[in-house]
Amino acid sequence: METCDNRTLIQATLECKQCEIIVELYYKPLKESLSKSVMKYIYTEAFTEKEPHELIRLENQITITETRRHLKVKQISYYFFLQVRSDIRDGKLPVNFDVAARLFGYALQSELGDYDRKHHTPGYASEFRFLATQSEELESRAEAFHRTLRGLKPTQAERMFLKEAKLLELFGVDLHFVIGDSNVEYQLGITHSGIIVFKNKSRIANYFWARIIKFKMKNSSFSVTVMGRNSVNNTHSFLCKSPSACKHLWNCCTRHRDYFHNLITPLPPSLNL
């Protein structure tokens, strides 16, 4: 698990084995938009590979039938596209200027289709809020890139958007803001491999699930005990903004750990009686 590349968590066409836990925890709005029967199908049928890092191709495999409607993979992929766009706009998924301009261009192609000089006058990108604070320069760059995407279907643009977004360092990372020693602000990023600790947007520690012994919460206090070198246990404590935020962090950590750690924990050898 420790060697699994975090950037391959979700493929543009929902190819990755780990989509289940991402839908369950990170992409909560997507989970809420799907019915229980759909989620149950995804859990029990789509994610059955033994190795957590193995990719599976679902585009032509999943067709989910419900009583009133049919939900296909393209629709699920579109939900992911919208969720990632929302995370970028809200600042949960940081992007630099060049990547933002390209992603913005793909989003324009998805929304508007091919560039049309008659209808898309200069500045038309300003009608869309891609970042919380976007500049005219970014909008101009996005429009220029949008003009090069002629012939790309909206679904193809969404796939290209996700394909490029998945390379971002924090893609698929569930971030939680906490306070550490000396009233210093940290971010705990929950991933498939463990917990990443960020300080000032820089990674300073990585606690792998296999080395995490336990979590503990009390009111707004959250702590994680990690096995260090020479089998010495170290406890790291943080303060959340509220008891409910602390409980949410605890739930996310325990559910991630239970799911992913169990996937890679070898079973005891069979007894030859």
Side-chain angles (χ1 to χ4, degrees), residues 221-236:
S221 178
F222 174 82
S223 63
V224 52
T225 301
V226 184
M227 180 185 298
R229 296 180 179 179
N230 301 322
S231 299
V232 177
N233 297 339
N234 300 312
T235 299
H236 307 274

Side-chain angles (χ1 to χ4, degrees), residues 94-124:
V95 294
N96 60 42
F97 181 85
D98 293 333
V99 175
R102 291 179 58 84
L103 294 178
F104 197 176
Y106 285 127
L108 292 175
Q109 184 69 14
S110 171
E111 293 287 343
L112 304 175
D114 290 341
Y115 170 78
D116 188 337
R117 183 181 302 178
K118 296 181 180 179
H119 299 92
H120 301 147
T121 56
Y124 65 93

Side-chain angles (χ1 to χ4, degrees), residues 57-205:
R57 188 171 299 278
L58 302 180
E59 182 177 6
N60 298 320
Q61 297 179 4
I62 299 180
T63 302
I64 306 167
T65 304
E66 292 186 286
T67 304
R68 296 181 179 180
R69 62 191 177 103
H70 297 272
L71 182 60
K72 299 182 180 180
V73 169
K74 288 184 178 180
Q75 293 172 290
I76 301 177
S77 181
Y78 181 65
Y79 284 128
F80 274 105
F81 165 72
L82 293 179
Q83 181 62 53
V84 175
R85 275 187 58 180
S86 176
D87 287 346
I88 293 175
R89 183 184 64 247
D90 297 340
K92 297 179 181 179
L93 186 58
V95 294
N96 60 42
F97 181 85
D98 293 333
V99 175
R102 291 179 58 84
L103 294 178
F104 197 176
Y106 285 127
L108 292 175
Q109 184 69 14
S110 171
E111 293 287 343
L112 304 175
D114 290 341
Y115 170 78
D116 188 337
R117 183 181 302 178
K118 296 181 180 179
H119 299 92
H120 301 147
T121 56
Y124 65 93
S126 62
E127 300 176 6
F128 299 88
R129 186 55 51 188
F130 189 73
L131 296 179
T133 55
Q134 63 189 38
S135 62
E136 293 183 2
E137 183 182 2
L138 175 65
E139 294 169 356
S140 178
R141 284 278 296 275
E143 291 176 5
F145 183 60
H146 176 217
R147 290 193 288 269
T148 68
L149 301 177
R150 179 175 296 275
L152 200 66
K153 297 180 180 179
T155 53
Q156 294 174 323
E158 293 154 14
R159 291 182 185 180
M160 295 302 296
F161 179 98
L162 291 173
K163 185 177 180 180
E164 188 155 338
K166 74 176 183 180
L167 299 178
L168 298 172
E169 182 181 9
L170 296 183
F171 182 77
V173 178
D174 183 15
L175 289 177
H176 297 257
F177 293 87
V178 295
I179 301 296
D181 296 334
S182 302
N183 205 34
V184 176
E185 186 177 89
Y186 295 90
Q187 291 175 299
L188 301 184
I190 306 175
T191 72
H192 67 288
S193 60
I195 300 177
I196 304 174
V197 183
F198 294 93
K199 179 182 178 182
N200 296 328
K201 298 182 180 180
S202 298
R203 182 182 307 200
I204 62 173

Side-chain angles (χ1 to χ4, degrees), residues 190 195 209 215 222 249-257:
I190 306 175
I195 300 177
W209 297 129
F215 302 106
F222 174 82
L249 172 59
W250 183 86
N251 282 329
C252 291
C253 288
T254 54
R255 294 168 73 180
H256 267 80
R257 183 183 184 278

